[in-house]
Amino acid sequence: MTAPTRAMASDFRTANRDPVRRWVTQLMGMPVSLALRGRHDDTAAGRRAWAAVTAQLRRVDRMFSTYRDDSPVSRLGRGELTEADSPAEVREVLELGRAAAEQSGGAFSMWLPDSTGQIRFDPSGVVKGWAVQRASAALTALDDTDFCLSAGGDIVCRVADPDRPDWRIGVEHPLDPRRLIAVVPVRTGGIATSGTAHRGRHLRDGRTGRPVTGVASVTVIGPDLTWADLDATAAYARGADAADWLRTRIGRSALVVWPDATTTVVVGRLPDHS
């Protein structure tokens, strides 16, 4: 499976002297990396958790790959498998995709034209953030351990100890990927970026099927990566009104970069506690 967007690079700098153990591998057509800090930064339990993360992501790749003819997603797209007969994970991803399409006014879609103009089913816009968030459960189970798990630049973070510092995440400049346009502190939650820095105008507006214009990149920070990733993709697909739409999202913050390299910082709607 190849992710639908290439998110911006991550900077796992830590502001104190706690050792940080790092792993990296290639999965799902992208680099997947982990930084661990705290009690299990270099223990057998920490290594087992990393192995569980990679095993989970390999399983997701087999299930959701649009390049494998035998994957449930490919069979579903060809009509050889019904949604009702699909694995539970596939049904969950389809529900998330439908919710994102509805909430974005149709800008997010799992049915888009390919390079030949043929409409194809591709849930990749849902899968990456969802899969990494799920896989991070093995890391959350490590007591007194901070982690920063990145897949192609979309990231799940946790800081378990209130005395340890935030993770600092670098966001690539969409018009010059050699530079950072921002460094974002993230304590616990997800951060995801949709943009054109690495793959050009490959994203399309689900309402028109046309390549997106009017925005260079969207980075969203939220309580979990699943919806941070969905909202980043949906906001980007909405183009010029990305920032306005993000202001309606509960509990999100975002950085929108426009084609002229100007930026807008967005704070989404606060939860209603009444």
Side-chain angles (χ1 to χ4, degrees):
M1 180 186 66
T2 299
T5 65
R6 174 58 185 259
M8 305 301 105
S10 305
D11 176 16
F12 294 144
R13 289 176 292 180
T14 181
N16 68 1
R17 296 181 180 178
D18 288 335
V20 178
R21 170 71 172 169
R22 304 170 192 272
W23 290 269
V24 65
T25 190
Q26 193 78 11
L27 291 169
M28 296 167 33
M30 60 190 168
V32 176
S33 61
L34 171 66
L36 277 185
R37 182 179 67 189
R39 179 176 180 182
H40 292 290
D41 68 291
D42 194 19
T43 66
R47 291 187 287 275
R48 285 194 298 270
W50 170 236
V53 168
T54 57
Q56 171 80 347
L57 294 179
R58 287 191 182 95
R59 181 175 184 274
V60 167
D61 193 25
R62 291 191 298 271
M63 185 173 296
F64 288 95
S65 173
T66 58
Y67 298 97
R68 295 173 58 114
D69 287 341
D70 62 343
S71 73
V73 161
S74 293
R75 294 180 61 210
L76 188 62
R78 293 194 301 267
E80 299 171 3
L81 185 70
T82 67
E83 181 175 342
D85 292 330
S86 298
E89 294 95 331
V90 172
R91 298 196 303 271
E92 182 178 344
V93 162
L94 292 175
E95 284 298 315
L96 284 167
R98 283 192 283 264
E102 180 181 358
Q103 293 174 28
S104 67
F108 183 97
S109 179
M110 295 181 290
W111 295 89
L112 291 168
D114 62 16
S115 58
T116 69
Q118 184 175 354
I119 302 296
R120 295 189 182 277
F121 171 63
D122 184 355
S124 298
V126 182
V127 171
K128 183 171 70 164
W130 167 85
V132 176
Q133 182 66 50
R134 279 170 56 98
S136 72
L139 303 169
T140 303
L142 296 171
D143 62 301
D144 191 28
T145 304
D146 307 341
F147 68 83
C148 205
L149 175 63
S150 170
D154 289 355
I155 298 161
V156 181
C157 295
R158 183 184 78 154
V159 177
D161 186 337
D163 293 329
R164 287 196 288 260
D166 300 343
W167 296 101
R168 290 168 56 81
I169 310 301
V171 180
E172 280 183 1
H173 197 304
L175 307 181
D176 182 2
R178 297 168 298 178
R179 298 192 291 131
L180 297 180
I181 198 166
V183 176
V184 180
V186 179
R187 194 158 189 85
T188 297
I191 177 170
T193 299
S194 289
T196 60
H198 293 271
R199 293 181 58 193
R201 293 175 61 193
H202 65 288
L203 295 174
R204 294 176 181 266
D205 183 340
R207 298 167 295 186
T208 65
R210 296 175 181 171
V212 176
T213 60
V215 63
S217 72
V218 177
T219 298
V220 174
I221 305 100
D224 69 87
L225 181 59
T226 301
W227 276 100
D229 191 25
L230 287 168
D231 279 5
T233 304
Y236 185 89
R238 290 186 66 93
D241 74 343
D244 289 340
W245 181 76
L246 283 165
R247 290 187 183 98
T248 71
R249 306 299 288 159
I250 296 175
R252 314 289 198 269
S253 56
L255 175 69
V256 179
V257 184
W258 306 108
D260 64 358
T262 59
T263 61
T264 299
V265 175
V266 178
V267 177
R269 189 158 58 88
L270 295 175
D272 183 3
H273 296 297
S274 59

